[in-house]
Amino acid sequence: MTLHHLDGALLKNLVLAGAQNVINNQDFLNKINVFPVPDGDTGSNMSAAFESIAQDILRHPDDIALPDLCHHIAEAALNGSRGNSGAILAQFFQGFLQGVGQHNKIGLEKFAETACIAAKAAHDAISNPVEGTIITVMHDWAKWINEHWDKTASFTELFKQSLEAAKISVAHTPDQLKILSVKHVVDAGAQGFYYFLQGATEFLITQKLPKISIATDIFQKNFESNMINPALDQQTEHLHLAPHATHRNDLDHQYCTECIIHGDNLDIKSVKQKLARWGSSFVIVGGRNKIKIHIHTNAPDKVFRDANAFGELLETKADDMWAQYRANINFYLNKHVALITDSSCNLPQELVVKHNIIMVPLQMIINNQVYLDKVNLSATDFLEKLTDPDNTITTSQPAIADIKVAFNKGFRQSPIVIGIFLSDKLSGTYRSINQIAKQYEEDELYVYDSRNTTGGLGLIVLETAKAIYEGKSVANIKKSILDNIAYTTTFLSFSTLKYAIKGGRVKKTSGFIANFFNLLPVMKIASSGKPEKIGMSFGKNATQRKMIKAAIKYAKSFKDQELIITHVDCLETAQTTQKLLQSKFPQKNIYIVETTPILATHSGPGTLSISVLGKN
């Protein structure tokens, strides 16, 4: 059948066939991903965009009008895009929508014009375009079509011949980008776009649509795509093992950060000028009413703050690329257990990085705006919001999606995953995580209620990380977790009960009486998992002294122990406490960590805690 025009029905089949081909090859794309960062997720990100598109257009009839279909494709690509490559794809389809305009069908000449508009839109979305990537192949493919459309008889011939041009362009990417040449790979995004064109071309030749295997649960699909394929590893190990050992220093920015801004008459240029300064790999896609931002940055909180000034922030995420990189490396280093906790766990960041501890972020809602704990809100900005009486702040357990993402990262790193989480008596986090864990019944996933929080949870997690690092057996690790939970206690003192009352942790009547007499409690969280009052004192200083005395007494009841201090905006007090504890336990390295915002919400500035993990 000779095809001289593109309508909604034909475009729908082309996109579905191309999408399925990308999804089928996503493992290989993940393996050859070395630019802009070697985080091994280009295939997953492109698949996520195409899955979003496919799920949307499958709901519409085959006779859908071409402009309507293009609108649905562009919108679904924008909503489903993830990462650098996903964002570029989204803008390509935004440009395609612009090129089609209101035409219900287009011929070869109009298609050539539309392809050029789409390629240019993808190029213009990037603040610092780099040749030898997906945008190069988009440009070369569109240029070939624009120069040869009048020499081909049909869309089938146009796609067959232009596919060869795209193939040549992909093959030349290492000549344009040094890192690709060094690693002996082509650009993963460019190869992914070629797979899309290849799938579409195959449909035109055979007139047969492949089986569309779009997952109903995109997180499960991404989990499956991120599982290590042994046969594929043998093909690509030489690309990723030794070379990536030098990549860590190349990751100047830690977080792959994305958000969607919704508003009226959004000015893309103004948004770009304001946000691009915060990092690299900046991509902005969308239109006048909705914009999606992608950027690699060390300051996701500042990106979200500035983005919020332009309109309503609908979605935010900040993936730790350093952790993704370490997960890839750790697989090849045969790390036998992956470790997960939640953001209420307080540990020095260097230890989290060293042991590749995966964090599930809890959520804070400030004036109806959702923030991810430890991700998109700095401690300084949080304290300003916390102490502002006009702000309404509540906390929430992690989103189901974030829990699944953490589990999937863990299984990508290791066949065995252990998770240790915030006390069930303090939050619904553990219950939610336990429910999600039931979906992984066929996998080796072990989750534990720490019956603790802040530094106590941190010490339990750290001891587990050390056991994993030392190569201890899983049975030994599991036993030590239970022992550590049983002998870990966190002692707390407060400078005010204002925030505990506001958050509903202390009854208003009791709080009013305590505040009137300046009475403050000394609390502990032990193996029961519940906060227990162990004393009262008049004033902050007396309360702190009583708390420190109780912690020292408990620590001395063990032959060996580990200690950690956490605080909310009282570093000098924490440092004084550290000196005192160091004099009592001179052989110990006692860390000071700032309490995570999710916990500071309920305790307030001036809160001091000492956690002790006893060893018999």
Side-chain angles (χ1 to χ4, degrees):
M1 181 171 61
T2 304
L3 298 170
H4 298 290
H5 292 91
L6 179 76
D7 59 10
L10 178 56
L11 180 62
K12 179 180 178 180
N13 286 331
L14 292 179
V15 171
L16 287 173
Q20 188 60 52
N21 201 39
V22 174
I23 292 166
N24 291 345
N25 289 282
Q26 63 181 301
D27 287 343
F28 181 72
L29 297 177
N30 285 337
K31 290 299 175 184
I32 65 171
N33 172 207
V34 299
F35 181 84
V37 290
D39 48 0
D41 64 358
T42 293
S44 298
N45 289 342
M46 295 187 81
S47 293
F50 280 119
E51 287 213 17
S52 178
I53 293 169
Q55 286 174 340
D56 189 291
I57 65 178
L58 280 170
R59 294 197 293 264
H60 301 290
D62 290 342
D63 60 354
I64 184 173
L66 182 60
D68 292 341
L69 181 67
C70 289
H71 173 78
H72 286 295
I73 291 172
E75 185 75 6
L78 179 66
N79 292 334
S81 67
R82 289 182 4 207
N84 201 57
S85 55
I88 293 170
L89 273 176
Q91 193 61 12
F92 176 86
F93 287 116
Q94 290 282 334
F96 197 88
L97 168 65
Q98 178 187 343
V100 167
Q102 296 303 310
H103 293 83
N104 284 321
K105 63 179 181 179
I106 58 176
L108 296 176
E109 182 178 8
K110 182 63 177 176
F111 179 80
E113 176 190 327
T114 299
C116 290
I117 292 172
K120 185 177 186 302
H123 181 278
D124 292 347
I126 306 170
S127 59
N128 295 299
V130 176
E131 295 303 325
T133 62
I134 185 173
I135 58 170
T136 303
V137 178
M138 287 175 171
H139 170 269
D140 291 349
W141 172 75
K143 181 182 178 183
W144 191 97
I145 288 177
N146 194 48
E147 293 175 351
H148 296 86
W149 68 266
D150 56 345
K151 302 177 184 67
T152 54
S154 67
F155 271 95
T156 304
E157 287 302 313
L158 186 68
F159 267 71
K160 282 174 62 178
Q161 294 179 34
S162 65
L163 183 65
E164 285 301 310
K167 185 177 182 179
I168 293 170
S169 180
V170 172
H172 285 165
T173 56
D175 300 331
Q176 299 166 287
L177 196 55
K178 184 178 179 180
I179 187 66
L180 303 178
S181 177
V182 171
K183 306 306 176 188
H184 307 292
V185 294
V186 297
D187 180 67
Q191 182 68 46
F193 186 69
Y194 171 80
Y195 283 142
F196 171 67
L197 298 177
Q198 183 186 51
T201 303
E202 186 67 20
F203 170 78
L204 286 169
I205 294 170
T206 65
Q207 291 295 300
K208 293 181 180 179
L209 197 63
K211 181 181 179 182
I212 307 300
S213 56
I214 305 301
T216 55
D217 184 342
I218 196 166
F219 294 100
Q220 177 64 22
K221 181 69 178 179
N222 286 337
F223 165 64
E224 292 167 354
S225 74
N226 284 333
M227 290 299 289
I228 301 298
N229 181 325
L232 190 59
D233 283 342
Q234 293 174 5
Q235 300 169 24
T236 58
E237 183 172 353
H238 69 285
L239 304 177
H240 280 258
L241 181 52
H244 277 198
T246 64
H247 267 327
R248 171 61 183 81
N249 293 330
D250 296 334
L251 299 179
D252 294 329
H253 298 108
Q254 182 173 0
Y255 296 101
C256 176
T257 301
E258 295 178 355
C259 62
I260 291 179
I261 308 171
H262 185 270
D264 296 322
N265 297 317
L266 295 171
D267 185 347
I268 287 183
K269 287 185 178 180
S270 297
V271 176
K272 189 175 183 179
Q273 289 173 354
K274 185 75 171 178
L275 299 184
R277 62 191 173 124
W278 292 119
S280 61
S281 297
F282 182 83
V283 183
I284 181 168
V285 300
R288 296 171 65 85
N289 297 319
K290 184 187 288 187
I291 290 174
K292 187 160 191 173
I293 304 297
H294 169 277
I295 187 171
H296 294 169
T297 181
N298 291 325
D301 56 309
K302 293 182 173 62
V303 172
F304 297 140
R305 180 197 64 196
D306 287 354
N308 194 49
F310 290 94
E312 182 184 3
L313 225 55
L314 297 182
E315 297 178 20
T316 61
K317 88 168 184 68
D319 287 341
D320 189 337
M321 296 185 294
W322 294 359
Q324 289 176 317
Y325 164 75
R326 292 192 307 273
N328 291 338
I329 290 298
N330 282 335
F331 171 77
Y332 291 105
L333 296 179
N334 295 318
K335 183 173 179 180
H336 67 306
V337 178
L339 183 58
I340 300 175
T341 187
D342 62 70
S343 62
S344 72
C345 171
N346 285 141
L347 280 174
Q349 183 62 21
E350 63 267 23
L351 293 179
V352 175
V353 170
K354 175 183 176 180
H355 293 288
N356 193 21
I357 299 168
I358 300 168
M359 290 272 185
V360 181
L362 280 75
Q363 300 181 101
M364 291 171 293
I365 300 91
I366 304 177
N367 300 332
N368 297 319
Q369 175 67 52
V370 177
Y371 294 88
L372 299 181
D373 191 28
K374 291 186 178 178
V375 175
N376 56 4
L377 188 64
S378 69
T380 302
D381 287 344
F382 169 73
L383 285 170
E384 289 180 3
K385 295 179 184 297
L386 180 65
T387 54
D388 185 341
D390 293 331
N391 287 332
T392 301
I393 303 178
T394 57
T395 59
S396 177
Q397 57 194 271
I400 291 175
D402 290 329
I403 297 170
K404 289 186 175 183
V405 166
F407 283 164
N408 296 347
K409 283 181 180 178
F411 280 114
R412 182 177 177 184
Q413 175 181 319
S414 167
I416 303 169
V417 175
I418 289 176
I420 309 172
F421 302 100
L422 172 64
S423 172
D424 182 38
K425 299 296 192 299
L426 299 174
S427 166
T429 297
Y430 176 72
R431 290 190 293 276
S432 294
I433 285 171
N434 211 21
Q435 284 297 114
I436 300 299
K438 292 177 182 178
Q439 299 177 21
Y440 296 78
E441 289 180 346
E442 296 181 2
D443 301 294
E444 281 203 69
L445 172 63
Y446 307 100
V447 295
Y448 294 87
D449 177 356
S450 72
R451 294 183 237 156
N452 224 294
T453 186
T454 188
L457 174 55
L459 290 175
I460 296 167
V461 168
L462 181 58
E463 288 300 301
T464 306
K466 290 177 182 177
I468 294 171
Y469 183 78
E470 292 165 3
K472 292 183 178 179
S473 69
V474 174
N476 193 311
I477 293 170
K478 290 166 65 179
K479 181 181 183 303
S480 68
I481 290 172
L482 295 176
D483 289 341
N484 291 332
I485 289 172
Y487 296 111
T488 298
T489 298
T490 295
F491 299 85
L492 303 103
S493 67
F494 307 88
S495 65
T496 176
L497 291 178
K498 170 184 172 182
Y499 298 94
I501 296 168
K502 191 175 181 180
R505 305 283 167 157
V506 173
K507 293 180 180 179
K508 288 185 178 181
T509 304
S510 302
F512 175 80
I513 295 171
N515 281 336
F516 183 81
F517 291 104
N518 198 23
L519 269 173
L520 294 170
V522 177
M523 308 291 291
K524 76 171 184 179
I525 302 173
S527 58
S528 69
K530 294 192 303 184
E532 302 172 33
K533 185 175 68 176
I534 59 174
M536 298 281 287
S537 289
F538 291 100
K540 178 180 70 174
N541 294 336
T543 305
Q544 287 175 349
R545 287 194 296 270
K546 183 171 285 191
M547 183 273 291
I548 294 168
K549 184 177 179 180
I552 292 172
K553 181 179 179 181
Y554 179 76
K556 285 188 172 182
S557 68
F558 296 94
K559 293 181 180 179
D560 194 10
Q561 61 288 114
E562 301 294 338
L563 301 96
I564 191 169
I565 301 166
T566 67
H567 71 95
V568 181
D569 198 31
C570 56
L571 179 59
E572 289 186 7
T573 302
Q575 290 171 334
T576 301
T577 304
Q578 182 189 43
K579 290 179 182 178
L580 175 60
L581 293 178
Q582 209 74 67
S583 69
K584 303 292 184 182
F585 307 97
Q587 304 303 317
K588 293 300 173 183
N589 187 5
I590 302 172
Y591 298 104
I592 295 176
V593 184
E594 190 164 21
T595 303
T596 177
I598 201 80
L599 299 176
T601 300
H602 301 291
S603 58
T607 300
L608 183 72
S609 81
I610 301 171
S611 297
V612 181
L613 185 151
K615 300 177 179 179
N616 283 322

